[in-house]
Amino acid sequence: MKKGFTLVELLAIIVIIGILGTIGIAVYNNVQKEAKHKLYDEQLETIKSAVRTYITENDGKTLNVNGNNVKIDLFNGEKVIVIPMSVFISEGVFDKYPVNPNCSKNMTGNIVVNVKSDGSYDLSYNMSNTEETFCKV
């Protein structure tokens, strides 16, 4: 009696290992993608928290935004204030541009402050063209 595996048995084992490897790679890629999205969301929350602190401490301050004077005034009617990230860098809110973990590009977009009539406000982040082109969030 011969010892060993037949060619068919070896091929079956190779196919099974290939299928398991493919499933493992797909699961790994999904976990990586979810982790990057979660990191991006956490980073946005950190940015928003720093911006909220800055806005609270500097209510009434006028900023030079692209050659225009923009006043941070939360208690004077509804308005939308668009502030580039570069202003927060120059104001010292951030030491350097935050990096988008999805594509490793600097977050050079705009913070949009949507002021409501009651003095409350919402913050959102709009990507720059470079981020929109290279980052799929």
Side-chain angles (χ1 to χ4, degrees), residues 25-48:
I25 289 171
V27 168
Y28 175 78
N29 287 339
N30 284 340
V31 167
Q32 288 289 92
K33 189 175 182 181
E34 288 176 19
K36 285 182 180 180
H37 283 302
K38 187 172 183 172
L39 183 59
Y40 178 76
D41 291 342
E42 289 174 2
Q43 185 147 345
L44 281 181
E45 286 306 312
T46 301
I47 290 168
K48 287 178 182 179

Side-chain angles (χ1 to χ4, degrees), residues 6-19:
T6 65
L7 183 59
V8 172
E9 291 171 331
L10 288 174
L11 287 174
I13 290 171
I14 290 171
V15 167
I16 290 170
I17 290 172
I19 290 170

Side-chain angles (χ1 to χ4, degrees), residues 51-67:
V51 170
R52 278 189 194 98
T53 302
Y54 176 81
I55 288 173
T56 302
E57 291 174 354
N58 293 285
D59 187 32
K61 182 175 182 177
T62 301
L63 299 174
N64 183 359
V65 177
N66 299 328

Side-chain angles (χ1 to χ4, degrees), residues 30 34 41 43 52 65 67 74 76 87 98 102 104 115 122 124 129 137:
N30 284 340
E34 288 176 19
D41 291 342
Q43 185 147 345
R52 278 189 194 98
V65 177
L74 301 180
N76 193 10
V87 170
N102 292 309
S104 301
V115 181
D122 295 323
S124 60
N129 289 338
V137 180

